Amino acid sequence: MEHLQERFASAVRHRRLVLGLSQEELGALCWPVLDRTGVSRLERTAPNISLDVADSIARALKTTVRELLEGTDGAAKKSHPTKAIFAQRVRSERISRTMSQRELGEKAGVDRNYVSDIELDKRNPRLATVDAFARALDLDPLALMRAE
């Protein structure tokens, strides 16, 4: 299965091309979060970026992180930052499974305190972390980016 960061990088490249933007133009729209070389590196190597950076890139592409990953090209709607949605969804999914933060942390390979910080929206998780939490909760990563 393709990792979330690879899916995101591929979706960014596709969306950029659909909009007719060069890497330089996208970099200018993302400045200071990303520049042309950062866009190039993202598309080539699919780095493990944070959800805040992913949100900035999606806004520059006039969409949302979730829409990019789902492959829908709808115009961005006013929405909560992906990080806040992720925090809320992790907590609700964990509680619905009657899991403790410690149990979720063990399944995701992180400390219980990190789970707490994620749920309180105090951390800026990277895409690999979203993947780890999704696997621990037996969900598709996109489910953790959809508002309830």
Side-chain angles (χ1 to χ4, degrees):
M1 184 161 107
E2 189 177 37
H3 290 285
L4 194 57
Q5 55 263 45
E6 292 163 348
R7 286 169 61 186
F8 184 76
S10 176
V12 165
R13 177 171 164 64
H14 172 75
R15 179 75 173 165
R16 177 180 64 77
L17 294 173
V18 165
L19 294 175
L21 295 172
S22 67
Q23 289 178 340
E24 187 171 355
E25 290 166 327
L26 179 55
L29 292 172
C30 292
W31 182 260
V33 174
L34 213 57
D35 63 4
R36 181 200 59 79
T37 58
V39 172
S40 175
R41 184 167 85 68
L42 170 77
E43 290 180 0
R44 281 182 294 107
T45 64
N48 189 20
I49 61 172
S50 70
L51 288 179
D52 281 345
V53 170
D55 266 338
S56 294
I57 295 166
R59 276 194 307 278
L61 292 169
K62 298 180 178 16
T63 189
T64 64
V65 173
R66 184 180 51 80
E67 286 173 340
L68 271 173
L69 292 168
E70 286 178 340
T72 58
D73 286 336
K77 298 158 192 68
K78 191 165 182 113
S79 66
H80 298 290
T82 305
K83 184 171 74 92
I85 293 169
F86 177 71
Q88 182 247 338
R89 292 286 296 170
V90 165
R91 179 174 167 73
S92 67
E93 292 294 337
R94 177 185 62 77
I95 289 170
S96 75
R97 288 165 173 74
T98 62
M99 292 174 77
S100 69
Q101 289 178 338
R102 176 167 273 108
E103 290 169 323
L104 178 55
E106 287 171 2
K107 285 185 153 198
V110 299
D111 184 70
R112 185 211 62 85
N113 292 325
Y114 188 78
V115 175
S116 175
D117 286 350
I118 288 288
E119 290 181 356
L120 294 172
D121 197 16
K122 291 183 176 180
R123 293 289 186 121
N124 189 13
R126 298 190 174 273
L127 295 176
T129 304
V130 175
D131 261 342
F133 274 80
R135 279 192 307 276
L137 293 165
D138 196 29
L139 291 170
D140 180 89
L142 294 180
L144 294 176
M145 294 182 203
R146 257 182 232 113
E148 288 185 294

